[in-house]
Amino acid sequence: MNLSGWARLLLFSVLLALGSLPLTVQAEDSVSLDRFREYVERSVDTPSGANKKPIKIAIVYPGLQTSDYWLRSIKALQGRLDDHGLAYELDVRFSRPYIQQDLQESQLLEVLQNDPDYLVYTINSDRQRRVVEYLLQRERPKVIIQNLTQPVAQWFDVQPLMYIGFDHAAGARKLAQFYKRKYPKGTPFGLLYWDKGVVSEQRGDVFLKEVERTHQLKASYFTDASRISAKHAALKMLREHPGIRYIYACATDVSLGALDALRELGDPPITVNGWGGGEAELEMFRQQKLGVVLMRMNDQNGIAMAEAIRLDRLGYQIPLVFSGEFEVLTQSMKEGALEHLLERAFRYSGGMP
């Protein structure tokens, strides 16, 4: 489906008109955030019982990138739904982040025509936020916003079913603590953003605020969320500012692009961090190319989505936000610590290549 921006906007409006206004449902009970975390952390001892009609779940992801975060999320979602014995149908669409928003909107329209019960989507730009605003006015599907853990305040009480992910700002602060411990006051550094949007604001700007009184920012660049653009930005940065001691990278492709630039320059002793802890970053960490990796307990994400859907189907009121946990991997970790964290992070998706 190849539609112009105006045509997509018109079709979203038609879909909105066809959907009835949200119904007020009195939940049988509510689940606290602490209880919800318990559901996510524990194993399923007793399946919930098979449902006669499969749950229709549509997933529209910017999953065409080096990070395996999105694929692992799907595997964890499936694994937990299977453990609960729930029948479901997945309709999954992928696009490249930042540069394929037209394709992503066309994919959204396609999955909506199949009338899913739930839609899993992400927000990084104002354009994506406006699309979700249309969807929230409809009774179906219920929307889960992934990779965002700060509710959109402008939506007031018209919110999605749940925000699920890993708090970008909290992760940025953890990495800031590492760099402030490792390097003395006045250390020059560079910053490579992802694309322009929420991720760069919460990962990049928060990090900068945490270290700006301690370390000296020499240069910062936005990328187009690709490895090659990150490499070009890093080369420009390092050639213009040869005294930089570390590069703070806001995403996996950005980290790997920075490493590509260092390799081209003869591997100077400059620290680069990973952001997320997927397999590509872990391989570079094992080779001691990445000095530090902020690792998500990745599968908590997909498990939380499955638990949100399960509890919602049972009529429970669930928390609006679930944020998973991070661990900081350093080259000075004790032997065996990484293997323990891998088992915890990839409870369902560990078999992925």
Side-chain angles (χ1 to χ4, degrees), residues 78-220:
Q78 291 177 295
R80 181 48 67 102
L81 290 173
D82 289 341
D83 281 356
H84 279 301
L86 296 173
Y88 59 91
E89 297 174 357
L90 291 187
D91 187 355
V92 181
R93 311 298 171 95
F94 287 133
S95 62
R96 293 183 62 189
Y98 184 61
I99 62 174
Q100 288 190 326
Q101 290 197 53
D102 285 351
L103 172 60
Q104 191 175 93
E105 289 174 6
S106 296
Q107 292 171 336
L108 267 175
L109 292 171
E110 290 171 2
V111 300
L112 289 174
Q113 291 178 18
N114 294 327
D115 190 30
D117 300 299
Y118 298 90
L119 169 69
V120 184
Y121 191 55
T122 190
I123 296 177
N124 186 52
S125 66
D126 289 339
R127 182 170 169 179
Q128 290 170 320
R129 190 182 71 178
R130 287 194 295 271
V131 168
V132 175
E133 286 174 355
Y134 278 105
L135 297 174
L136 292 180
Q137 302 304 316
R138 308 177 72 234
E139 182 183 0
R140 293 171 59 85
K142 293 185 177 181
V143 179
I144 294 174
I145 301 298
Q146 187 174 347
N147 207 33
L148 182 65
T149 59
Q150 295 185 10
V152 179
Q154 294 89 336
W155 292 343
F156 299 100
D157 60 344
V158 183
Q159 293 287 341
L161 176 65
M162 202 172 197
Y163 297 86
I164 295 176
F166 297 83
D167 190 327
H168 305 301
R173 294 187 187 101
K174 281 183 173 290
L175 282 171
Q177 291 170 5
F178 166 84
Y179 279 116
K180 286 192 290 185
R181 287 193 303 267
K182 181 176 176 63
Y183 291 105
K185 189 172 182 179
T187 296
F189 73 99
L191 193 162
L192 290 178
Y193 289 99
W194 203 45
D195 62 351
K196 293 183 178 180
V198 173
V199 170
S200 287
E201 291 170 4
Q202 294 185 7
R203 295 184 183 180
D205 292 347
V206 170
F207 177 87
L208 182 58
K209 184 178 180 180
E210 291 290 317
V211 303
E212 61 185 352
R213 294 183 181 179
T214 306
H215 296 163
Q216 184 180 8
L217 177 66
K218 287 296 186 180
S220 63

Side-chain angles (χ1 to χ4, degrees), residues 294-308:
L294 181 74
M295 184 181 185
R296 307 178 185 98
M297 295 298 99
N298 196 102
D299 288 6
Q300 289 179 349
N301 188 82
I303 296 169
M305 287 193 289
E307 293 296 336

Side-chain angles (χ1 to χ4, degrees), residues 235-261:
L235 285 172
K236 178 177 174 62
M237 176 191 295
L238 294 170
R239 285 165 176 161
E240 294 180 356
H241 304 279
I244 282 175
R245 299 289 305 282
Y246 71 85
I247 295 174
Y248 175 74
C250 287
T252 296
D253 286 273
V254 178
S255 299
L256 299 181
L259 292 182
D260 292 340

